[in-house]
Amino acid sequence: MTKTNSFIKIVLSIFLVLWGLSANAFAQLEIDITKGNSEPTPIAIPDFLSSHPETTQIAKDIARVIGEDLERSGLFEALDPASFIETQTDINYQPRFADWRLIKARALVSGRIVRESSNRLKVEFRLWDIYGGKQLDGIRLATTPDNWRRVAHKVSDAIYKRLTGESGYFDSRIVYISESGPKTDRRKRLAIMDQDGDNAQYLLAGADLVLTPRFSPTAQQITYLSWETGRSQVYLLDIETGRRELLGNFPDITIAPRFSPDGKSLIFSMVKRGNSDVYVMDLRSRSTRRLTTNSAIDVSPSFSPDGKKIVFNSDRGGSPQLYTMNADGSNVKRISFGDGRYTTPNWSPRGDLIAFTKSYQGRFHIGVLNAQTGKAERLLTGSYLDEGPTWSPNGRVILFSRETRGRNGSSQIWSVDLTGSNLRKVDTPGAASDPAWSPVLP
Amino acid sequence: MKFGLPISFALHGLVLFGGLLVLGKGVSNLQSEEVIPLKIVTVSEQTNIKPSQKEIPIKELPQDVPQVSVAKQELLPKAPKKIPTEQTKGFNLDDFSKMVEDARDKDPEASVQKVLVGEAQAAKVTQNGVGDKTDLTISPGDYIRAKMEPCWLIDKGAKDFQNLRIEVKLELNEKGEIQVLNITNSAQIIASPNNGWRAARENVVSALHECAPYDGLSALNYDEWKIMKLNFQPGDEE
Amino acid sequence: MNKKTLKYTGMVVIALAFSACATQPDPAPITQKQQVEKVAPLAPAYTPPKQIKPVVRQAEDNLAEAVPEAPKAGTKEHFKYMAGEDRVYFGYDRYDLTPQTRDVLRRQAQWLKEYSSSILVVGGNADERGTREYNLALGARRADAVKAFIVAQGIAPGRITTVSYGKERPIDGGSNEAAWALNRNAHSAVLVGGTS
């Protein structure tokens, strides 16, 4: 069988090579280029044009927020407006590409704001390929003036998508735990902010311990752990209506909730007689099914984006390692084999990678490994205590908590690109931990 | 054991389908016939002319961008723009111990790394004596490779980035200016579900233009490099 | 085994000393060995009494200053006083009970037998050198180990509930061996007549 197959391949290859040679007789010199660099793409974002004095400031702010969004991704460098040669006065004309080539811009965003009334405006922009000399995208968005930030994020998303081929993530939010007080008496509150750290607010008024919030991938819903009743239980919160619900009200300790990719079920761990196992709950019928039966710790389950597999953390082999299984609990396989302890796996929404926390020789790292093979492990960060990776909706950026050591240690949210570059602290009001990214807003 | 059947397939029917089965690097040349030329590059000065009719119009989004709301709003104070730097007010044991701990834990990766690969490479090219048009100092292959490195921006976070191969037919005039630039595997790229491949293609086109002209090549053997086939494919990290 | 236990006890003593002054900065990290050599020979952390009643807590030194009076019988303070400890401690990533731990838990069980209307909430805790969710699972394991032992002493399982706080309730905020040893514990809280 394989013999015949390879025979076909050989015959075909000979044919195709001969054909290729004759068709390409002029390309005498063939050069393989394997080396480039990972510098960010230079992009020019002049202030948007505004025909009305009331929108002048918004026009400036929108351009600034777009630039900040794109720069924060690490993939773009917003060029200094002082270097711009051309000043466009009408975005419906082609830019002078040569002027932009001189300052090495590869793309240009030119936009304007059309004020339609005191509470309605339209934001238009065109994205130009400077070297290709063509327009890549042109979009008009309508909104109210006080919603300009969201519009800016939407523009950033469109630009990111057109220039990288992957969907953007700027019009999204981050739910997290806002922390205050000393380590031995720490107050933790559920909070939410825009992806860029703006617009932070508390989601719960209570003083109970809350941990590990996670966003539904399909709705403006959050699941989280709260000790409201004295022990850890799983809650569901609709952040638009404020409706809150205790899920299951199990007599046992429940921890580590996470949504399935379709948002229809919840996966979590429940501890019976000291033994934690993975369970899945259908959110409509509220029926619960046990997926693991091992006497070891089985915790931190996370679905693959197609919903067919689950990665989780277990110490069944003697130390905490990562395992995958089918969504029905069958076919358990260990996938982490390096030195150290592996915890908090999180399957990338892109499907190709699994992020995790690894502790090794007194340091904690955020890393990724190939979801299919378990190989190609890469550690992206390292510090006294890094933990809890969460993916951007496009599977490109990872947020995590970093806590400093000692009695005055405190936690902050950091972000890193999946390549390990572009490590940044995310600005939050005060200490923060347990970030979880929302899906892109509808 | 059944050789007759596969051979007859190979010789007759399958030739037509061959182009679809990408078996190896040499194979995809087939598709060059169906290639849509990406663009012709006569870089004349652009003036403010109305965009042509082919221009993508501005897409109107069907609905207004709505406000998003959150129940039970209680604003947190604004985040500090910068990480507050270590204050050194009075001497305080707690602060001191924190400083010690911070120092112990300072992460070298904490600042955004920026390596000026581009400039370093440009310097290397000049050192090699290529940039100053001294003939016969370097092979066209080495010259093009060295020239491309600072210009070609690779997105190493793109999905399967090492498989995003871009094949280019590049025709230069004697001054090393681009005459024709064709992406010969465009059909394959467009058909792929991985949109990152299209982005990679545009990155290569921009890189080739930004690096032009290729005036470090010897005019004596112009015939050799007049038409080149360039295969862009990120290699393993060194 | 014995040596290990001794080491451990020494560590707890040191840790307790540090925790007493919570606002102090962390001391320079002291390795486990140093602590043990200096402290362990002096005195065990706690000498178990022969009988349950009356208990006389041994003073740290022999200055026979007034032994504090026993708290009111049946209260949570009384529980701690009688059992000697309301917390038991664990090794790194462990949930097995040491002989000392068992002694403490036996006395806790004895008290529960005596005050049969009381119920017990066991809270499992972990040190900070683990990730949040794993530590919640580990804390649950520790709490359950304590519950299982007390149940084995004849206390009805229905009187004991377990909770886990993972690494969220450290009793020492330091990042050193002594603090970690203190923070790996299971805390027994009795609820008497509906109040604690």
Side-chain angles (χ1 to χ4, degrees):
Chain A
M1 181 62 187
T2 44
K3 212 174 175 185
T4 29
N5 249 347
S6 56
F7 187 78
I8 295 178
K9 277 188 182 173
I10 291 166
V11 173
L12 258 180
S13 306
I14 294 168
F15 254 87
L16 293 174
V17 166
L18 288 175
W19 192 352
L21 282 179
S22 60
N24 238 23
F26 292 108
Q28 297 135 327
L29 185 60
E30 183 162 344
I31 302 168
D32 287 330
I33 295 159
T34 57
K35 273 191 188 167
N37 67 85
S38 298
E39 290 293 291
T41 301
I43 184 168
I45 312 163
D47 287 348
F48 278 28
L49 303 175
S50 161
S51 51
H52 194 279
E54 255 180 44
T55 53
T56 311
Q57 190 56 41
I58 292 177
K60 283 193 172 109
D61 288 340
I62 285 182
R64 173 180 54 81
V65 168
I66 295 168
E68 287 169 0
D69 277 347
L70 294 174
E71 286 214 317
R72 216 176 318 106
S73 77
L75 300 180
F76 299 94
E77 177 200 357
L79 294 168
D80 180 4
S83 68
F84 298 169
I85 301 162
E86 183 188 26
T87 308
Q88 277 187 294
T89 51
D90 186 341
I91 69 156
N92 292 327
Y93 285 80
Q94 255 188 19
R96 287 198 306 269
F97 295 115
D99 284 0
W100 298 101
R101 278 183 206 129
L102 273 179
I103 63 164
K104 304 262 187 210
R106 295 217 173 166
L108 166 69
V109 181
S110 51
R112 67 166 176 171
I113 292 177
V114 181
R115 182 182 174 277
E116 299 207 312
S117 68
S118 62
N119 64 351
R120 189 175 153 84
L121 47 84
K122 284 187 170 178
V123 177
E124 299 173 353
F125 79 95
R126 293 176 190 275
L127 173 65
W128 297 93
D129 175 354
I130 297 302
Y131 286 98
K134 63 182 181 192
Q135 181 181 309
L136 295 174
D137 217 342
I139 292 176
R140 177 185 297 128
L141 303 113
T143 190
T144 52
D146 57 347
N147 199 29
W148 64 269
R149 287 192 79 93
R150 236 202 117 189
V151 171
H153 294 320
K154 279 193 167 294
V155 174
S156 305
D157 279 341
I159 296 166
Y160 184 95
K161 182 172 186 184
R162 190 58 190 77
L163 295 181
T164 68
E166 297 190 67
S167 50
Y169 56 86
F170 302 112
D171 186 25
S172 64
R173 299 192 279 203
I174 294 163
V175 62
Y176 67 100
I177 299 296
S178 167
E179 300 192 359
S180 57
K183 237 166 132 179
T184 47
D185 185 23
R186 191 150 280 172
R187 188 162 185 218
K188 297 202 170 193
R189 292 185 68 184
L190 191 62
I192 192 170
M193 63 186 181
D194 292 350
Q195 147 281 139
D196 59 354
D198 198 73
N199 201 20
Q201 48 198 283
Y202 292 116
L203 285 171
L204 293 176
D208 306 295
L209 174 63
V210 285
L211 292 179
T212 61
R214 271 83 195 245
F215 246 107
S216 162
T218 54
Q220 291 302 308
Q221 282 187 336
I222 290 166
T223 181
Y224 63 96
L225 270 194
S226 172
W227 274 253
E228 206 170 315
T229 59
R231 60 203 164 89
S232 56
Q233 290 190 293
V234 175
Y235 290 77
L236 199 62
L237 172 69
D238 185 307
I239 60 170
E240 280 165 333
T241 62
R243 190 170 165 272
R244 209 160 52 85
E245 195 188 340
L246 169 60
L247 278 181
N249 197 12
F250 303 104
D252 303 289
I253 295 169
T254 42
I255 52 178
R258 215 183 263 283
F259 286 93
S260 64
D262 61 7
K264 289 178 183 160
S265 49
L266 207 66
I267 193 166
F268 57 95
S269 283
M270 185 146 62
V271 191
K272 285 184 190 287
R273 272 176 239 96
N275 173 33
S276 49
D277 276 309
V278 175
Y279 290 73
V280 66
M281 177 197 268
D282 185 305
L283 284 174
R284 268 171 304 178
S285 69
R286 299 295 156 93
S287 63
T288 301
R289 210 151 51 86
R290 183 172 174 179
L291 297 180
T292 64
T293 51
N294 200 285
S295 63
I297 286 179
D298 293 328
V299 76
S300 303
S302 164
F303 271 104
S304 64
D306 62 7
K308 290 180 180 160
K309 298 204 136 214
I310 293 163
V311 62
F312 64 103
N313 177 214
S314 177
D315 69 348
R316 58 185 66 193
S319 74
Q321 297 289 338
L322 309 184
Y323 294 78
T324 57
M325 62 183 174
N326 294 343
D328 63 359
S330 64
N331 195 22
V332 177
K333 277 185 201 155
R334 179 168 165 181
I335 59 159
S336 63
F337 292 98
D339 295 326
R341 301 156 61 85
Y342 293 77
T343 51
T344 65
N346 193 347
W347 211 306
S348 154
R350 213 166 74 173
D352 53 340
L353 298 170
I354 290 170
F356 55 82
T357 308
K358 172 176 178 166
S359 67
Y360 182 57
Q361 294 185 339
R363 276 170 74 80
F364 281 75
H365 307 268
I366 302 297
V368 291
L369 51 73
N370 185 302
Q372 265 66 49
T373 63
K375 294 193 175 112
E377 173 182 316
R378 288 199 313 265
L379 296 184
L380 310 179
T381 73
S383 84
Y384 174 66
L385 186 43
D386 285 354
E387 72 167 288
T390 176
W391 290 96
S392 60
N394 67 351
R396 183 62 205 241
V397 183
I398 291 171
L399 293 177
F400 60 98
S401 311
R402 169 169 287 182
E403 184 148 358
T404 50
R405 67 180 293 153
R407 223 167 286 282
N408 295 307
S410 77
S411 181
Q412 293 290 343
I413 297 172
W414 289 70
S415 82
V416 69
D417 187 82
L418 65 81
T419 59
S421 63
N422 197 33
L423 181 73
R424 292 163 183 260
K425 190 173 99 58
V426 177
D427 284 339
T428 49
S433 62
D434 288 3
W437 220 307
S438 82
V440 171
L441 288 162
Chain B
M1 64 190 192
K2 296 178 194 163
F3 282 133
L5 190 66
I7 290 175
S8 92
F9 261 98
L11 292 180
H12 299 99
L14 275 188
V15 171
L16 281 174
F17 299 106
L20 300 173
L21 298 174
V22 185
L23 297 174
K25 291 176 184 178
V27 173
S28 40
N29 289 338
L30 232 198
Q31 286 157 345
S32 61
E33 305 218 325
E34 304 151 22
V35 153
I36 307 139
L38 228 211
K39 83 187 71 124
I40 297 117
V41 180
T42 33
V43 186
S44 62
E45 199 76 314
Q46 298 286 350
T47 48
N48 274 356
I49 37 165
K50 276 271 184 196
S52 68
Q53 260 142 344
K54 277 186 287 176
E55 208 65 68
I56 308 162
I58 293 238
K59 287 175 275 185
E60 185 116 24
L61 287 202
Q63 287 168 331
D64 277 16
V65 177
Q67 292 272 16
V68 286
S69 63
V70 167
K72 281 192 185 172
Q73 293 195 357
E74 185 187 340
L75 280 171
L76 277 108
K78 281 266 177 197
K81 268 278 161 281
K82 282 267 146 33
I83 311 162
T85 43
E86 236 83 88
Q87 314 104 313
T88 40
K89 288 173 274 174
F91 185 75
N92 175 318
L93 263 184
D94 279 359
D95 287 350
F96 181 70
S97 75
K98 183 179 189 316
M99 279 165 62
V100 173
E101 268 150 13
D102 284 353
R104 200 191 293 160
D105 204 50
K106 265 281 136 63
D107 199 325
E109 297 134 295
S111 54
V112 184
Q113 309 112 315
K114 267 208 162 181
V115 187
L116 294 170
V117 179
E119 288 179 17
Q121 280 307 320
K124 202 162 103 189
V125 173
T126 324
Q127 267 175 12
N128 284 347
V130 181
D132 53 4
K133 295 187 189 176
T134 49
D135 291 347
L136 299 170
T137 45
I138 192 169
S139 78
D142 289 345
Y143 170 74
I144 295 289
R145 272 189 284 268
K147 186 102 172 166
M148 291 316 300
E149 195 172 333
C151 296
W152 182 28
L153 306 181
I154 300 172
D155 179 4
K156 286 181 178 165
K159 195 170 182 178
D160 296 330
F161 81 98
Q162 286 187 307
N163 294 328
L164 306 183
R165 182 182 170 91
I166 313 292
E167 298 175 358
V168 183
K169 186 179 159 194
L170 185 69
E171 188 174 335
L172 302 175
N173 67 14
E174 283 178 288
K175 292 180 202 159
E177 292 162 344
I178 297 174
Q179 300 301 296
V180 177
L181 193 170
N182 271 349
I183 305 298
T184 55
N185 63 340
S186 251
Q188 194 186 8
I189 294 169
I190 290 164
S192 166
N194 188 346
N195 293 329
W197 207 349
R198 267 166 275 185
R201 178 186 65 184
E202 274 149 29
N203 266 340
V204 163
V205 171
S206 289
L208 283 164
H209 285 301
E210 193 176 303
C211 273
Y214 301 91
D215 51 3
L217 293 162
S218 164
L220 295 175
N221 46 2
Y222 173 55
D223 282 348
E224 196 189 314
W225 50 262
K226 179 184 178 192
I227 298 172
M228 289 182 280
K229 180 167 187 279
L230 309 179
N231 305 316
F232 289 81
Q233 186 164 11
D236 290 325
E237 328 251 305
E238 51 285 347
Chain C
M1 181 61 193
N2 229 350
K3 213 170 178 186
K4 230 180 184 176
T5 314
L6 209 61
K7 264 187 181 180
Y8 180 67
T9 315
M11 252 158 59
V12 172
V13 168
I14 278 274
L16 278 166
F18 285 143
S19 70
C21 32
T23 50
Q24 265 193 4
D26 275 356
I30 301 163
T31 68
Q32 201 169 312
K33 266 187 185 164
Q34 285 173 317
Q35 294 167 31
V36 170
E37 279 159 13
K38 283 191 177 166
V39 179
L42 284 181
Y46 173 75
T47 314
K50 290 274 181 287
Q51 293 166 303
I52 282 304
K53 230 193 268 185
V55 170
V56 178
R57 198 172 183 160
Q58 298 215 332
E60 295 287 311
D61 45 40
N62 286 328
L63 292 174
E65 259 189 56
V67 175
E69 256 175 58
K72 197 176 160 233
T75 61
K76 132 181 131 171
E77 292 74 22
H78 186 245
F79 170 78
K80 186 176 180 182
Y81 176 79
M82 295 300 285
E85 273 280 11
D86 59 356
R87 269 178 217 274
V88 291
Y89 302 89
F90 298 87
Y92 175 69
D93 201 21
R94 317 263 319 231
Y95 59 105
D96 53 324
L97 308 171
T98 63
Q100 277 91 340
T101 296
R102 287 160 197 265
D103 286 343
V104 171
L105 296 180
R106 273 188 205 103
R107 290 192 297 277
Q108 290 189 359
Q110 190 60 44
W111 191 93
L112 289 167
K113 261 181 207 165
E114 199 151 328
Y115 299 93
S116 57
S117 68
S118 62
I119 60 167
L120 182 69
V121 179
V122 183
N125 295 290
D127 72 30
E128 65 188 6
R129 293 170 307 158
T131 50
R132 215 174 297 291
E133 288 180 346
Y134 183 84
N135 278 0
L136 286 170
L138 181 60
R141 248 182 184 175
R142 287 175 177 158
D144 189 72
V146 166
K147 175 178 173 174
F149 186 85
I150 294 178
V151 166
Q153 306 308 303
I155 304 300
R159 287 178 62 197
I160 307 173
T161 55
T162 55
V163 295
S164 175
Y165 295 108
K167 57 176 171 177
E168 308 304 318
R169 293 277 184 268
I171 49 177
D172 187 325
S175 297
N176 50 58
E177 290 294 343
W180 295 326
L182 269 180
N183 293 335
R184 295 189 295 265
N185 65 67
H187 176 249
S188 298
V190 286
L191 300 166
V192 191
T195 52
S196 55

